[in-house]
Amino acid sequence: MPNSPRKTPLRRLLLSLGAAALSLAAVSTGSPLAAQPHAETASAEKQSGFAKHAMVAAANPLATQVGVDVLKKGGSAVDAAVAIQAVLGLVEPQSSGLGGGAFMVYYDAGTGKVTAYNGREKAPMGATDKLFLGDDGKPLPFFDAVLGGISTGVPGAVAMLDMAHHDHGRLPWAELLKPAEKMAEDGFIVSPRLAGMIRIKQAPQPSAPDAKRYFTKPDGTPYAAGDLLKNPAYAQTLKRIGKFGASGLLTGPVALDIVKRVHEGPRPSTLTLADLASYRPVKSEALCKPYRIYLVCTPPAPSGGPGLQIALGILNQTDIGERSAKDEKAWFEFAQASRLAYADRDRYIGDPDFVDVPIKGLLDPAYLEKRAELIGDKAGPVTFGIPEGAPQVGPDATAEPGGTSHFVIVDAQGNVVSMTTTVESIFGSGRMVDGFFLNNQLTDFSFSPANKDGTPAANAPAPGKRPRSSMAPAIVLTHDGKFYAAAGSPGGSSIQAYNLKALVALLDWKMSPQDAVSLPNLVARGDRFSADPFPEPIMQGLAARGMPLSTARGENSGLQAVIVKDGGYEGGADPRREGRARGF
């Protein structure tokens, strides 16, 4: 990747913005099942929005506003995505950033085509299938691996956005990074959520030396909500990326700093400058499958798209669409479909450049019909199926924490971005270079690379391999190929269930985006039924079906959703976090 100045795209969009009146009309959330927002977040009524021309739903108000500003200047949905990601990496570094990866699906209103962009991180070429095994041959403790240099893969989010911008950008690349540059230089107000993450004790990254140094004020106390936090190093990195594009991150002094940092301390990485410079994102057709009268499009493997499509395909065989969110049988069907889909996803999904993913067999209507027959009336044991073309693979042993972010953008031409972006765990590996955190994405590989008989797991580590992801940004089209809705969420392995809930609520139960994302979550995987509190009749009904819900912790989704509505776009943001849906 040459270290030469990033060329400005020739395409420019000349729009008349005179008729674009800013509309921040809120959408009421009258759902009786609406999740209670955390104390630090704004009310759902303030988070939702309606707009006639364009819409942004992102996880932080500052990022949402920057995205709207770009669109009002005539920028494309991809232009806004570049600007939003730069801001999120600054104000929400626990979730995503320059040092992480992402998946995007893009709808082109002119052609009706949905394209998938894969910015998933790669393992260094020096990695082996024993990457996360200790000297005793046993899997390392999870956080020992996270804090080591071995957890960091080659970051792909910036390279992915660079590729998408070459394809669909209208405003100059460097200009799109200016709002985040200024915010980093002048400082931004620490949000309640970030302040809480700085103080969290359940994970070691906030106490790691780099993170502690960054988040400690001169008086020795940690930054709190309302404090002004500056990050001039981040601004300088953005200036370099603005000049050189993705090569500003993956070559030159920033790349040197990344390699140096991951080679330091315990469990050093084998990452090299060649690993960074040779990284390329992947562009492909989206994975689009019918659901009811709609077409749902997600990225293909190794994303979470196939798992979400399996779950939808199973539910497509049920009567959940004739029920409602108040019906415990609907939630039972939802949970059973989730369990069956997770079992297949965990067994078979990996990087298709390294393993045979039987996607045709997994999504075959006849196979899905057989899987749906297993839903039954009560929860029993669930295992993976044997679809056509299934390879011999071993069991999976992957842990996936929930540090991630999602946003949806619809521009004035009707083009759409649905993008999920991450550094994997909270503040990634806890290591920083040049103002941003490094990912711990390689811990998304299966720590145990093979079964006792030597059969490898589909998601076993390998040199140059991308780890399996749960990220599953979705775009929904009507039967005639027009944009209808988009949704996505952070949440580690729970993303599949969060997104499934939102899509069922939007497409089957005809809820508004805000009501859909505000519904309580139910994550059914194996014999675990983790959930937000539901109304007692639903809780009791599910328990009677052998599905007692564990609600002590709650489910920390961060859904964003947008739908076409009555001459405009209606957006919703998860009340469990700080997101906003706004437009003009």
Side-chain angles (χ1 to χ4, degrees):
M1 188 173 293
N3 193 18
S4 57
R6 169 68 149 77
K7 291 182 179 180
T8 299
L10 296 176
R11 294 179 300 276
R12 295 289 185 271
L13 177 64
L14 301 176
L15 293 175
S16 171
L17 298 179
L22 184 64
S23 174
L24 299 179
V27 180
S28 175
T29 66
S31 170
L33 295 182
Q36 293 300 312
H38 288 249
E40 74 270 20
T41 63
S43 69
E45 287 82 0
K46 293 180 180 178
Q47 291 183 282
S48 62
F50 174 83
K52 290 183 178 181
H53 307 288
M55 175 63 72
V56 174
N60 181 281
L62 296 173
T64 297
Q65 188 57 55
V66 164
V68 172
D69 291 344
V70 168
L71 297 180
K72 291 176 73 176
K73 291 178 182 177
S76 69
V78 168
D79 288 334
V82 175
I84 287 169
Q85 177 63 90
V87 171
L88 287 176
L90 176 68
V91 303
E92 197 194 35
Q94 70 270 23
S95 297
S96 72
L98 307 178
F103 285 95
M104 173 198 291
V105 280
Y106 173 82
Y107 170 76
D108 188 312
T111 65
K113 182 180 179 181
V114 182
T115 303
Y117 289 89
N118 174 352
R120 184 64 162 165
E121 296 88 341
K122 276 190 171 184
M125 294 307 293
T128 72
D129 64 348
K130 297 177 176 58
L131 183 64
F132 295 115
L133 298 181
D135 294 338
D136 58 0
K138 296 180 180 179
L140 294 170
F142 182 73
F143 283 118
D144 283 3
V146 167
L147 295 175
I150 57 172
S151 72
T152 297
V154 180
V158 174
M160 185 199 79
L161 286 168
D162 195 346
M163 173 186 277
H165 184 258
H166 273 293
D167 291 344
H168 305 290
R170 297 191 181 96
L171 300 181
W173 168 266
E175 179 182 324
L176 301 171
L177 304 179
K178 293 296 184 184
E181 283 180 32
K182 181 173 174 54
M183 211 175 287
E185 290 171 342
D186 297 346
F188 66 95
I189 300 300
V190 174
S191 75
R193 182 171 176 79
L194 174 56
M197 292 295 177
I198 292 170
R199 290 170 169 75
I200 200 168
K201 302 299 183 185
Q202 291 90 335
Q205 293 97 313
S207 298
D210 293 357
K212 196 157 189 175
R213 188 180 307 113
Y214 176 51
F215 291 125
T216 299
K217 294 186 286 187
D219 64 3
T221 61
Y223 278 89
D227 287 341
L228 185 73
L229 177 57
K230 297 183 179 182
N231 189 341
Y234 189 86
Q236 290 304 310
T237 299
L238 287 180
K239 282 183 171 67
R240 180 172 176 78
I241 294 171
K243 182 176 182 180
F244 298 110
S247 64
L249 179 78
L250 298 175
T251 67
V254 178
L256 281 166
D257 290 342
I258 292 172
V259 170
K260 179 182 177 183
R261 188 67 187 94
V262 299
H263 279 255
E264 294 172 342
R267 310 195 186 283
S269 174
T270 61
L271 186 73
T272 67
L273 289 173
D275 289 321
L276 291 167
S278 63
Y279 181 87
R280 297 293 183 274
V282 178
K283 179 171 65 173
S284 67
E285 289 185 6
L287 179 63
C288 298
K289 293 295 175 181
Y291 182 74
R292 312 299 187 203
I293 61 173
Y294 305 99
L295 193 68
V296 178
C297 297
T298 64
S303 82
L308 178 60
Q309 296 281 11
I310 294 167
L312 287 167
I314 294 171
L315 283 179
N316 210 19
Q317 313 291 326
T318 72
D319 66 352
I320 194 170
E322 299 169 19
R323 298 181 181 275
S324 75
K326 300 177 183 179
D327 188 335
E328 59 88 11
K329 178 68 181 297
W331 287 104
F332 177 77
E333 291 174 349
F334 173 91
Q336 289 289 76
S338 294
R339 296 173 74 204
L340 292 161
Y342 271 120
D344 280 350
R345 172 257 195 188
D346 291 350
R347 189 74 178 189
Y348 296 116
I349 304 301
D351 185 342
D353 289 341
F354 288 78
V355 296
D356 292 328
V357 180
I359 194 67
K360 182 178 179 181
L362 287 167
L363 296 178
D364 185 293
Y367 175 76
L368 294 168
E369 185 176 356
K370 289 181 180 179
R371 296 294 276 168
E373 290 172 359
L374 300 176
I375 287 177
D377 293 317
K378 288 196 173 183
V382 167
T383 188
F384 58 91
I386 310 295
E388 181 182 351
Q392 291 293 319
V393 290
D396 181 71
T398 303
E400 298 175 80
T404 301
S405 195
H406 184 84
F407 52 84
V408 176
I409 306 162
V410 185
D411 67 25
Q413 277 59 54
N415 305 304
V416 184
V417 161
S418 184
M419 176 171 155
T420 313
T421 173
T422 186
V423 287
E424 213 276 352
S425 191
I426 174 177
F427 303 119
S429 68
R431 300 184 183 205
M432 292 187 80
V433 300
D434 301 319
F436 62 92
F437 283 96
L438 300 177
N439 71 81
N440 66 295
Q441 210 63 256
L442 299 189
T443 58
D444 272 355
F445 281 124
S446 176
F447 276 32
S448 296
N451 199 7
K452 291 180 180 179
D453 64 3
T455 306
N459 191 38
K465 187 177 182 180
R466 288 176 164 91
R468 187 189 68 204
S469 174
S470 290
M471 295 187 288
I475 287 177
V476 181
L477 308 182
T478 59
H479 65 89
D480 57 351
K482 303 298 184 183
F483 170 67
Y484 180 70
S489 179
S493 64
S494 298
I495 289 173
Q496 183 169 305
Y498 297 158
N499 289 2
L500 184 64
K501 175 202 76 171
L503 291 174
V504 167
L506 289 170
L507 306 182
D508 282 331
W509 299 337
K510 306 303 180 186
M511 288 185 165
S512 71
Q514 191 60 53
D515 284 348
V517 301
S518 299
L519 280 174
N521 292 307
L522 198 173
V523 182
R525 187 178 183 188
D527 296 325
R528 302 192 306 274
F529 307 102
S530 177
D532 295 319
F534 277 76
E536 196 60 31
I538 292 178
M539 300 270 287
Q540 292 177 356
L542 292 176
R545 293 179 181 273
M547 197 175 282
L549 301 187
S550 174
T551 60
R553 184 179 65 87
E555 284 294 333
N556 192 21
S557 57
L559 284 153
Q560 322 291 342
V562 172
I563 196 168
V564 174
K565 182 79 171 181
D566 297 336
Y569 303 102
E570 188 175 321
D574 204 316
R576 300 162 185 84
R577 300 200 184 189
E578 297 171 332
R580 293 288 187 279
R582 296 290 185 267
F584 67 86

